[in-house]
Amino acid sequence: MCWSLSGVLLAQSGAEKACFAYDAQAYYGAIFRYQRHTQQVLFTHPYSLEVTVNRLPTGRHDWERMYGGPTVGVTLSYTHFGTAHELGRAVGATTQFRVPLRRFRHGWLEADPGLGVVYGNRPYDRETNPYQKAYSTHFSVLLRGNLNYYHTLADRWALVASLAFRHFSNGAMRNPNNGMNYPLVGVGVRYQPHGALVPIRPEPPTTPVEKTWHLHLAGAIAWKQVTFGTPRKAVYQGNLMLMHRLGRYASLTLGTDLIHDPTFDRDYAARLQEIKNTDPWKAGVTVGGEMHIGTLGVLAQMGLMAYDPHLFNGRLYQRFGLRYQLTRRWFVQTTVRAYSRKAECLEWGGGIRF
């Protein structure tokens, strides 16, 4: 999942000679509350250092022209959370898809979402780090979002200022998993040895798009832990989804989920309740959309759990993730299923399109 975005897009770019740009930035920010009985925003003086390699667009592909000449890149980061004894430090690697929003005479504004993996050196431990409820595994999924403004300084150099947000968690593979959430502001520089420094907007694509209907049949597996110290159990999910291509950028999705979740006994134990029902099956219906970037799709869905004999988290849920089309029929995908702000599990799977 972590490398699918830039790796797939770089592969789609063909064999033409690539041009690159290099960024270096420093960030400073705060941390949102990760445990009870603390203030909402913690000013522990966290800071982060990042270096990024960006591949510049060629304008020869539909997905580049669709999004106004985006760049794809890979970022390496180091973060100190300001409390080395509790939250510790983290190193991460993310991919991103940078979309120009507006161009100016001497600069440009861009949106910079990304996805990756992060290693934190101070996860929760019942004996040595009991108050750290943000993350409990060394490795977690890292989500990044930036709003960047670049201002040209010279022929090959630009100054960058950023508003940023970072989140990482393990998708409930191990608990506690409140997640790390931290806003940042950053400054840095870009060096670009070749090509136009201010992005040139390419002509929009002209190839026709078939507004067709497709049926998707998919399956997935996830590993879920309800409370710390209990074994992780496999959760299985099957999905039947009807997809209608609305245009060049997106499709509408309507689907049904069938979920086998044997962790209900741990949920009852965590709530100090007797088991009232031993049925591990749940069923839901979903509606949402998919944004298309070549053979890569970005999924976002809202679901209603029509049948759930336990209802520990309510009926409304969400699913976000990535889908990659291996062939015209076969695909692989990874998604996060969540209830409000709480991730329930990280699903890995694939399927077939009819």
Side-chain angles (χ1 to χ4, degrees):
M1 178 176 71
C2 299
W3 300 106
S4 58
L5 183 59
S6 65
V8 168
L9 295 179
L10 287 173
Q12 293 180 58
S13 296
E16 60 269 3
K17 185 177 179 180
C19 292
F20 294 89
Y22 308 93
D23 292 2
Q25 287 182 267
Y27 295 86
Y28 179 83
I31 300 172
F32 288 147
R33 181 171 62 188
Y34 57 89
Q35 60 179 330
R36 295 180 180 179
H37 313 302
T38 61
Q39 61 191 35
Q40 187 67 39
V41 181
L42 304 174
F43 295 96
T44 59
H45 309 291
Y47 65 87
S48 183
L49 304 174
E50 292 185 351
V51 291
T52 303
V53 178
N54 303 281
R55 188 191 190 283
L56 304 180
T58 63
R60 299 180 183 180
H61 306 277
D62 279 356
W63 65 267
E64 290 181 324
R65 297 193 292 270
M66 282 167 57
Y67 295 98
T71 62
V72 292
V74 176
T75 293
L76 301 179
S77 63
Y78 167 82
T79 303
H80 191 296
F81 294 111
T83 56
H85 63 287
E86 186 168 298
L87 292 176
R89 304 171 178 86
V91 291
T94 55
T95 64
Q96 55 258 17
F97 183 70
R98 299 185 165 196
V99 181
L101 300 177
R102 187 171 180 180
R103 294 165 173 82
F104 306 95
R105 183 178 179 183
H106 296 292
W108 69 97
L109 185 70
E110 70 177 19
D112 175 14
L115 176 69
V117 64
V118 64
Y119 174 88
N121 73 328
R122 291 288 292 165
Y124 170 86
D125 185 275
R126 186 176 291 173
E127 300 296 331
T128 62
N129 201 10
Y131 301 109
Q132 198 278 83
K133 302 297 179 67
Y135 64 98
S136 55
T137 54
H138 282 294
F139 288 96
S140 299
V141 175
L142 173 61
L143 302 177
R144 59 170 282 142
N146 270 36
L147 183 66
N148 302 325
Y149 173 71
Y150 287 86
H151 187 83
T152 57
L153 298 175
D155 289 343
R156 301 301 175 196
W157 293 89
L159 178 70
V160 56
S162 301
L163 297 176
F165 186 80
R166 304 287 183 266
H167 164 82
F168 69 80
S169 70
N170 62 36
M173 288 189 292
R174 188 175 181 183
N175 280 299
N177 182 51
N178 293 337
M180 283 294 300
N181 300 281
Y182 47 107
L184 301 162
V185 294
V187 294
V189 294
R190 164 171 287 193
Y191 172 66
Q192 183 176 315
H194 305 287
L197 193 56
V198 177
I200 299 173
R201 186 174 185 86
E203 293 295 324
T206 57
T207 54
V209 176
E210 296 183 8
K211 296 183 179 181
T212 54
W213 291 86
H214 292 283
L215 189 65
H216 288 222
L217 179 63
I221 185 172
W223 286 268
K224 180 180 173 184
Q225 182 188 58
V226 176
T227 54
F228 180 80
T230 60
R232 286 187 286 271
K233 292 186 177 182
V235 177
Y236 300 96
Q237 180 254 334
N239 171 260
L240 185 65
M241 186 172 66
L242 188 65
M243 176 180 290
H244 176 52
R245 187 73 179 241
L246 299 175
R248 196 174 300 278
Y249 299 94
S251 292
L252 172 70
T253 65
L254 302 170
T256 60
D257 290 333
L258 185 62
I259 301 166
H260 182 272
D261 185 350
T263 64
F264 62 88
D265 57 337
R266 304 296 180 184
D267 280 296
Y268 280 113
R271 292 166 173 79
L272 303 178
Q273 298 176 5
E274 294 184 2
I275 297 177
K276 301 176 182 178
N277 195 310
T278 59
D279 187 358
W281 292 96
K282 298 187 285 188
V285 293
T286 62
V287 60
E290 179 175 342
M291 184 179 74
H292 302 289
I293 312 172
T295 54
L296 185 70
V298 181
L299 296 168
Q301 298 172 335
M302 176 68 73
L304 174 67
M305 202 63 72
Y307 174 74
D308 184 347
H310 311 291
L311 279 181
F312 294 118
N313 298 302
R315 293 193 180 275
L316 293 178
Y317 65 99
Q318 306 83 41
R319 179 178 284 112
F320 307 97
L322 298 174
R323 183 205 312 277
Y324 177 61
Q325 206 71 38
L326 295 171
T327 67
R328 187 173 179 83
R329 285 190 175 273
W330 296 97
F331 61 86
V332 292
Q333 64 183 34
T334 180
T335 56
V336 174
R337 180 156 45 87
Y339 289 84
S340 184
R341 295 177 296 174
K342 179 183 177 182
E344 184 178 51
C345 57
L346 181 62
E347 303 165 329
W348 303 87
I352 186 171
R353 182 177 75 166
F354 300 97

